[in-house]
Amino acid sequence: MTKTVTDVVCPFCGTLCDDLEVSVTDDGKQILDVYNACAIGAEKFLHSQAKDRITRPRLQQPDGTWKDISYDEAADYTAKMLAGAKKPLMYGWSSVNCEAQSVGNEIAETCRACVDNTAAVCHGTTLIAVQDIGLPTCTLGEVKNRADTIIFWGCNPCHAHPRHMSRYSIFPRGFFTGKGHKSRKLVVVDPRVTDTAKMADMHLQVTQGQDYELLNAFRVAIRNEWLPDVVAGIPKEKIIEAVTMMKAGRFGIIFFGMGVTQSLGKNHNIDEAIAVTKDLNEYTKFSIMPMRGHYNVTGSGEVLAWQFGYPYSVDLTRGFPRYNPGDTSSIDLLNRGEIDAAFVIGSDPGAHFPISAVKKISQVNSVCVDPHITPTSGVSKLHVPVAFNGVETGGNAYRMDNVPIDCRKVVDAPEGMLTDEQFLVMVRDRVKKLKGVA
Amino acid sequence: METVTITMKNPPALYLEAEHICPDEFAGKTTAQIAELHVYEGNVTSTLGKYFEISGNAGATAEETKIVVKGDVKKVKYIGMKMSAGEIVVEGSTDLYAGAWMSGGRMQVKGDIQAFAATAMKGGELIIEGNAGNYLGAAYRGDWRGMSGGKILVKGNAGSDVGMYMTGGEMVINGDVDVHLATHAEGGKITVKGNAPGKVAGQMVEGEVIIFGTIDVMMPGFKYVDDVDLEIDGTTAKFAHYIGDTGERHKKRKGQMVYGNLYQKI
Ligand code: SF4
């Protein structure tokens, strides 16, 4: 016999779908199937069932082989590394629940470390823009029930957030959007003809790296000022048509992704997009929302901001929090050779960072906490496998619209495995002893 | 004016934060007292004397104190932070935040400087013989007030985000700049003798930008008005005059809309 766990939250992307159903064996030890999830979400659950999973911490030996050690030994090693470093970096946190993030921040404060999450290579620029000019935003529920003008700028939800469109932005029939996708206009701004762009009522194929110019042209058009004939590859008439469409809707929203946050212009692109949103509110209701990637990257920002005042790239080395991406951000810290130890959890900089930064991780003392074998675990001195968050343990996470959702535990982790939080608590207690603050 | 010379003898393994290398801090102190000033390498607090050899005498006040920094200080941050008077000469290159928040005095760097130099500078003079990094004379994160007074001269090139949120003061860059010059500026004047790739003066409310070289991509919010003659450093030349950013908010003064002014040499 099998049993079905309902209302399961998907711990993969920032859409944080909360309607999954998972069938498990009666003893609650094995997942048999996942319903309602998209392909990548389902894979996250099924992947945890892999038979060749690493279940014990492993220490890399001088000859490159790995030796199994106990969690106690791993916690000792990690605590010694963090407590002994002059400037340790604690990076990742985006696939970790808020409870574990909070314990991690306690360790960072005790060791006077730098703490950073994956926003550093993703929506960190968004956070800078928000600090510069604010953010007129809303929840995904409001989008579902009210939005009739949807703009996807530099993002491709068809592949990156597969159920975003069916649950919130395009297809659902909401309170004031009873005709589903027929009551919505879709504009996609992307230099590529993506699958999302193929669905659009209007696709603006912006010249790569000129989003800032196009957004500026939108603002000029909103104010009915003079425009050049072509901006960023888009004819003036098309820009005016798009702006007219945006002004005419009852509720519009700009969703944006890494196509604008990490291309030329970076935080300024978002700054200008927020300004467009603000300008449009002179005519109708308009909102803007970042398409956050990792399931709990938003939560990491929330917990960091709540505890230290800044949402990412926090430097605690002087005993008080400081923040200035460019100085305190992970890639800069690594590339400039500013740190002497790296602790990575719930993220894979080995796959996401420039190779120059990854090399630096391999040159200092390093610990990687991750259920999987990843490029990061491969270059780290110690790999600590843990239970899958949102599958083998619950915990709090924040959806891309800053709505907190409690995840559900679906199955037990393999015998003897710890969760992120349990391992971090072990490290925290040891660090406090080493630093004499226990 | 009295001179204190500090020479790097034990370079840090990581980077050093040394905001106390500043005439305001050195003034009225003996060399022994200066050697006791704190510096920070990561989370370890130690003293200036551990890294630097210190000689000479400090003046009684900051005005009367000159600091000469010798040796390799490429990994030293915050030199001249918050200086209000006196003089600093860095013989080589230095790292982040040189002259940040300075309000007076004169700082000269003979080599290059890295990002965030002259953050929110209020007054004084900063001269960089080499190249400058990103965010020169810009606002601190989240602040809407960048450089508001004083003068900056860069003999080489400068990076991106130069003069972001600038509200006053003057900046001259003899070489090229990278993207986002004078973004969000609300005053001040920037002269670039070289080229700018683009995104020049986006979201500018007020102020003046003069470019001698090329601008690869012009912001659509800048509208050509007329050609004007400008006299710069004693020579007069013709410039195309643009106003903008027309997509941004602007104040009215005496019934007239006030725009940012962008001049490009023809
Ligand atoms: S859209 Fe995202 S949260 Fe929803 S099922 Fe797919 S991966 Fe999971």
Side-chain angles (χ1 to χ4, degrees):
Chain A
M1 282 296 288
T2 64
K3 59 179 182 185
T4 304
V5 190
T6 57
D7 301 320
V8 175
V9 179
C10 171
F12 189 83
C13 86
T15 314
L16 223 59
C17 296
D18 52 6
D19 61 344
L20 270 51
E21 294 189 353
V22 182
S23 70
V24 295
T25 51
D26 257 348
D27 56 0
K29 290 210 181 309
Q30 212 193 329
I31 293 176
L32 300 170
D33 214 343
V34 183
Y35 305 101
N36 299 346
C38 70
I40 43 179
E43 193 52 38
K44 172 118 189 199
F45 285 89
L46 298 172
H47 200 231
S48 67
Q49 304 301 301
K51 292 279 165 275
D52 55 354
R53 223 173 116 180
I54 307 278
T55 55
R56 289 292 174 272
R58 308 175 304 149
L59 193 63
Q60 198 168 70
Q61 303 300 303
D63 65 356
T65 57
W66 295 88
K67 181 182 147 214
D68 279 4
I69 59 171
S70 69
Y71 276 107
D72 273 308
E73 288 168 312
D76 282 341
Y77 183 97
T78 310
K80 235 183 241 154
M81 176 189 92
L82 290 171
K86 280 185 185 161
K87 196 165 183 175
L89 169 65
M90 299 178 73
Y91 174 82
W93 306 108
S94 301
S95 292
V96 174
N97 59 33
C98 292
E99 290 83 346
Q101 288 164 355
S102 182
V103 180
N105 290 353
E106 228 182 308
I107 298 172
E109 193 173 9
T110 313
C111 297
R112 294 194 177 186
C114 294
V115 210
D116 202 359
N117 59 40
T118 55
V121 287
C122 180
H123 276 285
T125 52
T126 306
L127 299 166
I128 295 175
V130 172
Q131 284 155 351
D132 280 339
I133 70 161
L135 187 76
T137 191
C138 62
T139 62
L140 288 169
E142 282 179 273
V143 172
K144 172 184 168 180
N145 286 308
R146 295 172 188 274
D148 58 1
T149 312
I150 315 287
I151 296 154
F152 285 122
W153 199 306
C155 56
N156 184 13
C158 271
H159 293 281
H161 299 84
R163 296 185 70 219
H164 189 278
M165 291 192 288
S166 60
R167 278 174 62 80
Y168 303 111
S169 49
I170 304 293
F171 299 109
R173 294 165 194 266
F175 200 80
F176 299 109
T177 49
K179 291 198 180 123
H181 76 278
K182 290 205 192 88
S183 48
R184 293 187 175 95
K185 285 259 183 300
L186 171 61
V187 181
V188 173
V189 187
D190 202 308
R192 300 168 306 164
V193 188
T194 59
D195 285 336
T196 308
K198 283 179 197 151
M199 295 170 51
D201 295 296
M202 184 188 274
H203 175 204
L204 300 174
Q205 211 169 348
V206 57
T207 307
Q208 193 169 356
Q210 292 190 11
D211 299 85
Y212 187 67
E213 281 81 356
L214 185 56
L215 284 157
N216 185 228
F218 272 44
R219 297 187 70 196
V220 175
I222 291 169
R223 285 175 165 74
N224 287 319
E225 292 279 354
W226 171 88
L227 263 183
D229 291 339
V230 179
V231 178
I234 314 290
K236 170 169 85 180
E237 295 71 30
K238 198 92 190 236
I239 293 170
I240 294 169
E241 192 191 330
V243 167
T244 311
M245 190 203 277
M246 287 154 86
K247 282 181 181 174
R250 284 177 303 154
F251 187 120
I253 174 125
I254 303 174
F255 290 108
F256 60 96
M258 288 174 60
V260 259
T261 65
Q262 293 298 333
S263 62
L264 192 62
K266 295 204 164 185
N267 55 310
H268 301 289
N269 294 339
I270 310 314
D271 184 324
E272 193 76 317
I274 294 170
V276 167
T277 312
K278 202 168 117 204
D279 292 349
L280 283 164
N281 273 295
E282 298 282 322
Y283 301 89
T284 180
K285 171 76 187 156
F286 236 87
S287 270
I288 181 163
M289 193 186 296
M291 298 283 269
R292 305 304 300 265
H294 286 66
Y295 92 98
N296 197 25
V297 59
T298 314
S300 170
E302 292 283 338
V303 175
L304 276 170
W306 154 52
Q307 297 186 327
F308 299 134
Y310 304 110
Y312 77 112
S313 296
V314 181
D315 178 347
L316 297 158
T317 48
R318 294 273 290 265
F320 52 90
R322 289 183 298 172
Y323 159 87
N324 193 9
D327 173 13
T328 62
S329 38
S330 302
I331 293 183
D332 300 280
L333 289 171
L334 287 164
N335 275 346
R336 284 162 47 81
E338 288 223 34
I339 60 135
D340 56 354
F343 174 87
V344 179
I345 182 167
S347 165
D348 186 12
H352 307 151
F353 278 12
I355 187 69
S356 53
V358 181
K359 269 191 193 147
K360 289 277 164 55
I361 296 179
S362 74
Q363 287 159 6
V364 295
N365 288 328
S366 49
V367 174
C368 170
V369 181
D370 199 306
H372 306 95
I373 296 179
T374 64
T376 311
S377 74
V379 298
S380 299
K381 309 278 179 301
L382 172 66
H383 175 206
V384 183
V386 280
F388 276 75
N389 282 299
V391 180
E392 294 161 347
T393 171
N396 196 255
Y398 279 70
R399 203 165 64 182
M400 63 166 72
D401 55 351
N402 291 308
V403 171
I405 296 178
D406 264 325
C407 295
R408 299 193 77 170
K409 178 180 167 172
V410 180
V411 283
D412 290 333
E415 191 72 38
M417 276 191 91
L418 298 185
T419 64
D420 289 295
E421 193 187 353
Q422 288 166 333
F423 180 67
L424 286 166
V425 166
M426 287 169 75
V427 175
R428 178 196 63 191
D429 294 347
R430 284 163 167 79
V431 156
K432 287 200 165 168
K433 248 185 224 132
L434 288 170
K435 290 279 187 188
V437 291
Chain B
M1 191 178 254
E2 302 271 2
T3 303
V4 182
T5 303
I6 63 168
T7 310
M8 176 65 83
K9 54 171 194 208
N10 285 321
L14 302 175
Y15 281 65
L16 209 58
E17 296 181 5
E19 61 266 37
H20 297 313
I21 304 180
C22 176
D24 299 73
E25 300 284 343
F26 281 20
K29 291 194 173 71
T30 64
T31 46
Q33 285 169 324
I34 291 170
E36 286 305 309
L37 286 171
H38 282 167
V39 291
Y40 312 86
E41 189 179 345
N43 52 24
V44 180
T45 305
S46 54
T47 59
L48 203 58
K50 193 186 147 201
Y51 297 89
F52 289 92
E53 205 168 78
I54 299 153
S55 64
N57 294 302
T61 62
E63 282 89 3
E64 294 158 314
T65 304
K66 174 176 173 177
I67 304 173
V68 178
V69 184
K70 292 190 168 163
D72 184 356
V73 288
K74 279 198 207 75
K75 288 169 117 188
V76 181
K77 304 181 191 181
Y78 294 107
I79 294 183
M81 175 170 136
K82 293 192 179 164
M83 78 183 271
S84 70
E87 199 179 334
I88 299 179
V89 177
V90 180
E91 299 278 355
S93 298
T94 182
D95 199 45
L96 307 176
Y97 305 102
W101 293 278
M102 76 185 272
S103 58
R106 183 176 186 276
M107 177 164 174
Q108 183 189 9
V109 180
K110 298 209 170 150
D112 301 334
I113 50 162
Q114 299 301 317
F116 309 112
T119 294
M121 176 178 184
K122 285 206 182 83
E125 209 181 336
L126 176 63
I127 298 148
I128 298 131
E129 311 269 350
N131 300 321
N134 303 338
Y135 289 96
L136 175 69
Y140 179 68
R141 296 274 178 218
D143 200 337
W144 61 97
R145 295 154 301 192
M147 177 182 183
S148 59
K151 276 188 179 159
I152 300 177
L153 169 65
V154 182
K155 298 202 175 157
N157 303 323
S160 68
D161 295 276
V162 170
M164 185 187 175
Y165 278 112
M166 186 172 178
T167 62
E170 217 179 296
M171 208 187 287
V172 177
I173 291 140
N174 285 349
D176 302 335
V177 290
D178 206 338
V179 289
H180 286 291
L181 179 72
T183 303
H184 277 298
E186 295 212 23
K189 179 176 171 184
I190 303 179
T191 308
V192 178
K193 302 275 175 75
N195 307 321
K199 308 190 202 289
V200 176
Q203 294 165 284
M204 187 183 208
V205 176
E206 208 182 323
E208 202 176 322
V209 174
I210 301 165
I211 311 270
F212 277 70
T214 54
I215 301 176
D216 294 347
V217 185
M218 194 74 174
M219 287 303 294
F222 274 80
K223 186 162 74 175
Y224 170 78
V225 197
D226 52 4
D227 290 349
V228 292
D229 288 319
L230 291 184
E231 199 205 299
I232 292 155
D233 300 338
T235 49
T236 307
K238 229 181 200 16
F239 286 80
H241 174 209
Y242 299 81
I243 56 165
D245 174 343
T246 57
E248 187 54 61
R249 71 189 157 85
H250 293 282
K251 282 182 245 161
K252 266 192 181 157
R253 216 169 276 146
K254 294 190 185 122
Q256 286 285 308
M257 201 69 122
V258 185
Y259 289 102
N261 291 297
L262 171 62
Y263 301 93
Q264 192 190 8
K265 192 164 180 240
I266 314 173

